[in-house]
Amino acid sequence: MSKRISIHGQWSSRLMFILAATGAAIGLGNIWKFPYLAGENGGGAFVLVYLLCLALIGIPIMMAEVLIGRRGRQSPVNTLHSLSVEAGASGSWRLVGWAGMLAGLVILSYYSVIAGWTLAYLMRMLSGTFVRVTAEGSGSIFAQLVTDPERLLAWHTIFMVMTIKVVSRGVTNGLEKAAKILMPMLFFLVLVLVAYATRNGDFAQAFNYLFYTDFSKLTPTGVLTAMGHAFFTLSLGMGAMLVYGSYLPSGVSIAQTSILVGLLDTLVALLGGLATFSIVFANGLAAGEGPGLIFQTLPIAFGQMPGGMFFGALFFLLLVFAAWTSAIVLIEPLVAWLIENREMERIRAAIWTGMVAWLLGIVTILSFSHWSFSFHFGGVLKRHGLFDVLDIVTSSIILPLGGLCMALFAGWVMARDSVVDELGGLAGVGFKLWYFIIRFITPAAMLLIFLRAIGVL
Ligand code: TRP
């Protein structure tokens, strides 16, 4: 079969793909979620297990998604359809693409609200709101923000416009340009913050917190958490990497680039964690967890430090960049599909898609105030009503099932020859190992992650 060409264009080089895919992978999850998960689950022991999961689950699934995308060269729905028909399998595999496309839309709806918080905090840092703030003061600034729907709506709108703007300009002038400009700045900001933290923070304690290896603190739950995070942090399971793979020039090694993206993502998570905890510990504050660490504890720490407002602003700028380069890929599959199947112009497709996500975001905004309610799920108390429902349905249910399907598709549905052809550079033992992992290990792991997420395990 002759090679397909994407009607949307392609990355102008291997480096551009690496930057774009790293941008998709590095998100809000890297800066706060990974460090506190590590701290809670035995530090270095968790980091080791996480690295193992990255090698055994994350990177192999990423390779599968990218190769499916490059083979099909269309939006996830059409790629999965064409490739399954080509392989003599049921065209229903395209439903995996549909699920991912809708999940992306829903995730963007709340991702944009949270990204709006980071924009709001960037402004607050710049205006000196947190100078010598007390714990109560910081808590109430946060509470005031999240229970003010109009303010949240304004920030959510700004972030959505930023996202639509990039996507509407297409692969080369939009997605690639954003990655080319924002990713080097993001890496630079991480380094600046680490340097600031080593000078002004308690680097030794942070290092100890993240890397002191205590296997007795590592539980089976911790292992499952590491597995789930290795998958989540690479933005897998919804067709994000698939659609980025569909713009990858042929001849670029999928194995090498995927490994590099996995390593860069981990590097930023570790450096971000070191900087955050150094600053938090230097001010005698508790490591805490979740959004509270970044939006409540960290501002108190910055408020007490020399140059704190400036470096605090840089920290939130880093988060804005991380969120922005992830948000754009959340709607790219749907936008690509609208262009392919509805013959829509890209700019219209991006505006429509963004508007739907924007409207849906109002549900999340109201979850923190007027529509708030709590419930139990998987043995955990969820406090933010519909926001938590949307988050659970997408990241705990659809994404792991999507990852399972991608692994099965590359491992069992596609002809072995097509897979070998796409993986090109990966020969001999390397290929055999990957093929075994993708056929047997990752499907089992995805099932475990799914069962854990819904509270069965
Ligand atoms: N990886 C992102 C983070 O670390 C979160 C994420 C998960 C994501 N799935 C995604 C981002 C899909 C974009 C697309 O924060």
Side-chain angles (χ1 to χ4, degrees):
M1 211 211 72
S2 67
K3 295 261 186 205
R4 296 182 175 90
I5 298 171
S6 168
I7 62 164
H8 309 285
Q10 63 175 24
W11 309 116
S12 43
S13 66
R14 171 178 183 266
L15 177 67
M16 287 305 139
F17 169 74
I18 293 171
L19 290 181
T22 311
I26 297 176
L28 300 173
N30 289 63
I31 316 287
W32 61 264
K33 201 169 171 194
F34 175 77
Y36 94 80
L37 289 179
E40 271 182 353
N41 290 289
F46 178 88
V47 175
L48 274 180
V49 175
Y50 162 82
L51 287 175
L52 200 69
C53 291
L54 206 65
L56 276 182
I57 300 161
I59 292 173
I61 298 188
M62 179 162 171
M63 289 168 61
E65 270 200 40
V66 174
L67 87 84
I68 295 170
R70 187 164 74 179
R71 194 79 186 163
R73 292 262 186 235
Q74 301 157 77
S75 64
V77 172
N78 292 329
T79 286
L80 288 165
H81 185 74
S82 316
L83 294 186
S84 50
V85 170
E86 201 174 289
S90 155
S92 312
W93 278 96
R94 71 175 181 281
L95 293 178
V96 178
W98 270 103
M101 225 157 67
L102 298 178
L105 195 65
V106 173
I107 296 176
L108 179 63
S109 79
Y110 62 78
Y111 209 76
S112 167
V113 175
I114 312 292
W117 298 0
T118 63
L119 283 171
Y121 266 68
L122 171 60
M123 295 315 282
R124 281 170 177 62
M125 279 290 168
L126 286 174
S127 62
T129 311
F130 295 105
V131 176
R132 278 182 288 284
V133 75
T134 58
E136 295 76 47
S138 174
S140 85
I141 291 171
F142 181 68
Q144 265 172 26
L145 173 69
V146 302
T147 54
D148 182 347
E150 285 163 33
R151 204 171 281 242
L152 289 186
L153 188 66
W155 290 116
H156 168 54
T157 308
I158 293 173
F159 187 79
M160 196 60 83
V161 170
M162 288 161 56
T163 305
I164 293 173
K165 182 103 184 119
V166 174
V167 177
S168 68
R169 301 180 61 161
V171 177
T172 315
N173 294 325
L175 306 175
E176 178 169 315
K177 202 164 166 194
K180 189 158 68 181
I181 298 173
L182 297 176
M183 294 314 288
M185 293 215 278
L186 183 142
F187 293 128
F188 177 70
L189 284 177
V190 172
L191 294 179
V192 169
L193 285 162
V194 169
Y196 176 73
T198 43
R199 283 182 68 102
N200 298 289
D202 190 341
F203 200 75
Q205 197 183 342
F207 196 86
N208 200 30
Y209 185 74
L210 275 182
F211 296 114
Y212 177 74
T213 305
D214 182 358
F215 276 103
S216 72
K217 272 213 270 168
L218 187 69
T219 57
T221 309
V223 174
L224 282 173
T225 305
M227 266 188 203
H229 192 68
F231 173 77
F232 180 81
T233 191
L234 292 182
S235 302
L236 301 169
M238 60 142 286
M241 290 301 168
L242 194 158
V243 83
Y244 273 15
S246 75
Y247 310 142
L248 182 66
S250 19
V252 173
S253 161
I254 291 178
Q256 275 176 15
T257 43
S258 302
I259 292 171
L260 209 57
V261 171
L263 290 178
L264 284 171
D265 181 80
T266 306
L267 189 70
V268 170
L270 291 174
L271 291 177
L274 281 173
T276 307
F277 287 125
S278 301
I279 293 166
V280 166
F281 290 143
N283 292 279
L285 298 164
E289 67 176 64
L293 176 66
I294 279 187
F295 294 105
Q296 297 182 46
T297 315
L298 206 57
I300 312 173
F302 277 122
Q304 296 170 6
M305 297 171 75
M309 291 306 103
F310 177 69
F311 288 95
L314 291 188
F315 180 85
F316 284 100
L317 189 63
L318 165 72
L319 283 178
V320 170
F321 289 170
W324 199 6
T325 49
S326 292
I328 52 182
V329 68
L330 285 165
I331 46 169
E332 178 62 20
L334 182 50
V335 168
W337 181 82
L338 285 171
I339 299 170
E340 288 163 11
N341 289 44
R342 295 279 174 269
E343 279 149 36
M344 240 189 227
E345 266 179 88
R346 180 174 270 272
I347 181 156
R348 289 193 58 183
I351 292 175
W352 274 110
T353 311
M355 269 181 18
V356 173
W358 178 81
L359 267 179
L360 198 59
I362 295 174
V363 170
T364 293
I365 289 178
L366 293 173
S367 305
F368 297 104
S369 48
H370 303 296
W371 292 358
S372 135
F373 61 87
S374 39
F375 62 98
H376 281 273
F377 182 85
V380 184
L381 179 66
K382 299 287 178 184
R383 296 171 189 283
H384 301 299
L386 289 169
F387 163 63
D388 281 322
V389 173
L390 295 178
D391 179 31
I392 290 167
V393 171
T394 50
S395 56
S396 303
I397 299 178
I398 302 183
L399 295 188
L401 290 179
L404 173 67
C405 293
M406 301 282 184
L408 294 177
F409 194 82
W412 298 92
V413 176
M414 284 176 78
R416 190 187 154 113
D417 289 347
S418 332
V419 175
V420 172
D421 187 31
E422 280 311 321
L423 286 185
L426 190 69
V429 184
F431 177 79
K432 286 210 180 90
L433 188 64
W434 173 83
Y435 208 46
F436 177 78
I437 290 175
I438 209 72
R439 300 183 96 191
F440 300 102
I441 313 256
T442 47
M446 293 323 293
L447 218 53
L448 281 178
I449 291 170
F450 171 67
L451 293 176
R452 157 91 204 292
I454 61 168
V456 175
L457 280 181

